[in-house]
Amino acid sequence: MSAALWEATADLVVVGSGVAGLTAALDATELGLRVVVVTKDAADAGSTRWAQGGVAVVVGDVPGDTVDAHVTDTLVAGAGLSDAPAVREIITDGPAAVARLRARGAVFDPGDDGRLARAREGGHSAFRVVHAGGDATGAEIERALVAAVSDRRLPLLTGHVAVDVLLDECGSVAGLSVLDDAGRPGLLQAPAVLLATGGYGQLYASSTNPATATGDGVALALRAGATAADLEFVQFHPTALYTPGVQAGPSIRTQGLQLTSSVRRAPAVGRLPLVTEAVRGEGAVLLDRAGRRFMTAVHPLADLAPRDVVAAAITRTLAETGADCVHLDATAIPHFARRFPTVHAACLAVGVDPVREPIPVTPAAHYACGGVVTDLDGRTTVPGLYAAGEVARTGLHGANRLASNSLLEGLVLGARAARAVAADHPVPRAANAALPVPSPAVAFAPRPVVQRAMTGAAGIGRDAAGLAAASDAVEAATALGVPVDRAGVEDAALTLLAQAVLAAAGHRTESRGCHVRTDFPERDDVWQRTSLVVGLDRSGRPTVQEETAVAA
């Protein structure tokens, strides 16, 4: 990367324009900080806009539901790796966070009794998920936050990808280097950078995530000297819309052998339409190719079991029956098109009428339960570097995220991180000295190689042989270079994330939550009930740091 063509200063640079990033930016601005938001695409192009289900929150108006119940459901879903104090603190902050969001203009669906309408999703013991536009909650939240940013005239730098977090001679954050869509470099000097870049679903060929989900924030943090944890726990949503003749169903590995469901077609690459879990919350049921319900024999909650359980059960069913997909029968749900307009439109677009016929579905990569290690105020181990939202590992999700806890976490941690920045960097402050823009060489592997390796060996069902082969494939295709555009930055991030996920998945020799090792099918609560911390070694490769494991 050449010398910066332009420079600017701020108190806080927020990287990402989803729920966590814009919440933090707005709150920090109200606290008197000069904030600049940087996003590599359009303001609303990230994952928040695609979230369907809603926000899981207990506001006290649902008989029988309590914060304690929500905490318990979250801990059960997290499969022993959630941090109980963190879970309680985040969930307790939820009602106030939703109230602030509504004050900023977000409109949630009303119920028939004057209260907000509620849905129930997998793993929840009560109807506690508030939603907007039926199944367009993320779109409404993003609309409201972008409008609030516009109203405040908050600087929003679109079309700029973050390249490096810059550090001063003491190892504290001093700024951020960026590239615009034409590959021209710029420099933002600031004592604080908040990463709110979302997840890394694009590690896989098929994902419910948009094209922006390339793990940029985790890569930025690791290269700056921060650590990450729980990276091996990639949640696959059980019900992505299957398009006949286009998308391949998932595979499951057993002792180095890959079991597939009959003849596979080339998988779709990119974002697959999501069929929200709330459809099952309204009564839809999963059927195998013979029309039989199969979840009733798998879990006491049947079709509303936690996501990791349902996704694994669907994958086993596909392997055992030789089918390319299972079916979600929602024909008994009244007013389906009104309650789920987004899902209804997506189904009609592929020739399926969900009112009259079951919906073909298959699991797809959906959510990163792990990320950059932070405290409950978004602080990382690097002074001045913060993270919030899907990019962060707060201890809320553990080994498997409870449905609709993600928007909740983004709202809560975005606000808490803003307050932490204001406390850590009170205004006024001295101007930063001029910073050189580094040109570090980083590892690249072609994105198709990474996606093939990760999809084949690090999806639902993993074993030592497959993980080792995937690692070898990525390594063989890797070369050093300097990113000169957005694609280069993203490919470097995906390469680093692939190495990190494979290292953690190979190290965890048990099955827990989203991480299913077919060669180690049992859960090990004696030796492996801990979160694995990943950092970069001296050569820049991600390695598991056993001595600094985060206890859950």
Side-chain angles (χ1 to χ4, degrees):
M1 183 172 172
S2 58
L5 294 179
W6 58 266
E7 294 185 15
T9 62
D11 299 324
L12 169 65
V13 177
V14 175
V15 187
S17 55
V19 58
L22 294 187
T23 296
L26 288 164
D27 281 18
T29 299
E30 292 172 2
L31 290 169
L33 300 181
R34 298 172 300 156
V35 181
V36 175
V37 178
V38 176
T39 187
K40 65 184 179 182
D41 211 301
D44 65 349
S47 294
T48 294
R49 179 165 65 98
W50 298 103
Q52 292 182 356
V55 183
V57 63
V58 176
V59 298
D61 61 354
V62 175
D65 194 19
T66 64
V67 167
D68 285 345
H70 191 179
V71 168
T72 297
D73 291 346
T74 300
L75 293 174
V76 170
L81 287 195
S82 296
D83 180 69
V87 170
R88 180 165 294 279
E89 202 161 333
I90 292 170
I91 287 174
T92 300
D93 278 1
V98 171
R100 289 192 299 271
L101 177 64
R102 295 179 72 189
R104 284 176 171 150
V107 179
F108 288 89
D109 295 335
D112 296 332
D113 54 5
R115 300 178 298 178
L116 292 179
R118 300 297 204 285
R120 183 182 176 194
E121 299 186 43
H124 287 276
S125 59
F127 284 78
R128 67 167 66 102
V129 179
V130 298
H131 48 82
D135 58 359
T137 309
E140 171 57 16
I141 289 174
E142 186 72 8
R143 180 206 62 78
L145 291 175
V146 170
V149 165
S150 178
D151 290 345
R152 292 298 301 264
R153 299 176 184 261
L154 198 157
L156 179 59
L157 197 61
T158 59
H160 285 71
V161 64
V163 179
D164 277 302
V165 175
L166 305 178
L167 306 179
D168 63 19
E169 64 277 5
C170 297
S172 298
V173 167
L176 183 79
S177 62
V178 300
L179 290 172
D180 68 11
D181 284 340
R184 295 171 298 201
L187 173 62
L188 287 157
Q189 294 191 43
V193 170
L194 170 66
L195 302 174
T197 54
Y200 40 91
Q202 290 301 316
L203 272 180
Y204 297 88
S206 298
S207 172
T208 65
N209 294 179
T212 56
T214 53
D216 305 0
V218 178
L220 285 166
L222 287 173
R223 292 189 180 115
T227 56
D230 295 337
L231 297 179
E232 67 270 35
F233 298 110
V234 179
Q235 186 179 79
F236 278 65
H237 198 286
T239 53
L241 182 62
Y242 172 79
T243 303
V246 177
Q247 182 205 345
S251 61
I252 187 165
R253 301 187 62 90
T254 305
Q255 299 291 345
L257 300 177
Q258 190 169 1
L259 303 178
T260 58
S261 56
S262 70
V263 177
R264 293 293 183 208
R265 303 172 179 88
V269 175
R271 195 191 74 85
L272 301 182
L274 181 66
V275 180
T276 173
E277 202 161 290
V279 174
R280 280 176 281 135
E282 296 288 343
V285 296
L286 289 161
L287 307 174
D288 64 16
R289 70 184 306 172
R292 295 184 295 258
R293 292 187 64 181
F294 56 89
M295 285 305 303
T296 52
V298 174
H299 193 276
L301 292 176
D303 300 274
L304 284 175
R307 286 181 178 174
D308 60 322
V309 175
V310 180
I314 291 174
T315 302
R316 287 193 300 270
T317 299
L318 296 180
E320 291 166 359
T321 63
D324 288 320
C325 64
V326 296
H327 286 84
L328 182 64
D329 188 355
T331 55
I333 297 177
H335 311 295
F336 184 92
R338 185 174 67 191
R339 173 64 181 87
F340 301 107
T342 306
V343 174
H344 186 256
C347 290
L348 293 182
V350 298
V352 174
D353 184 352
V355 175
R356 294 179 172 81
E357 58 186 322
I359 304 167
V361 294
T362 186
H366 182 60
Y367 193 86
C369 296
V372 183
V373 176
T374 73
D375 65 12
L376 287 180
D377 295 302
R379 296 183 183 92
T380 73
T381 55
V382 177
L385 183 63
Y386 305 78
E390 187 176 357
V391 71
R393 185 272 184 195
T394 62
L396 176 64
H397 306 308
N400 176 59
R401 175 177 66 94
L402 182 66
S404 289
N405 270 356
S406 51
L407 291 174
L408 171 76
E409 184 185 39
L411 290 168
V412 170
L413 265 295
R416 293 179 71 117
R419 294 195 295 270
V421 173
D424 296 345
H425 307 278
V427 292
R429 60 183 60 86
N432 294 327
L435 290 169
V437 179
S439 300
V442 293
F444 294 84
R447 190 176 307 194
V449 172
V450 171
Q451 290 178 333
R452 282 196 300 270
M454 296 300 291
T455 300
I460 303 174
R462 306 157 176 189
D463 63 25
L467 293 169
S471 182
D472 289 345
V474 172
E475 183 69 23
T478 296
L480 291 178
V482 176
V484 296
D485 55 19
R486 170 178 165 178
V489 172
E490 291 180 336
D491 287 350
L494 286 171
T495 300
L496 184 60
L497 263 296
Q499 294 170 337
V501 171
L502 290 168
H507 197 90
R508 184 171 293 282
T509 52
E510 65 158 356
S511 290
R512 181 186 298 272
C514 301
H515 174 72
V516 178
R517 283 286 298 263
T518 56
D519 49 350
F520 292 96
E522 301 302 318
R523 177 167 148 174
D524 180 0
D525 281 334
V526 175
W527 301 107
Q528 298 210 309
R529 188 174 176 175
T530 185
S531 291
L532 302 178
V533 174
V534 173
L536 300 189
D537 63 18
R538 291 183 179 180
S539 69
R541 290 188 61 83
T543 58
V544 174
Q545 301 176 351
E546 293 181 78
E547 68 279 5
T548 57
V550 177

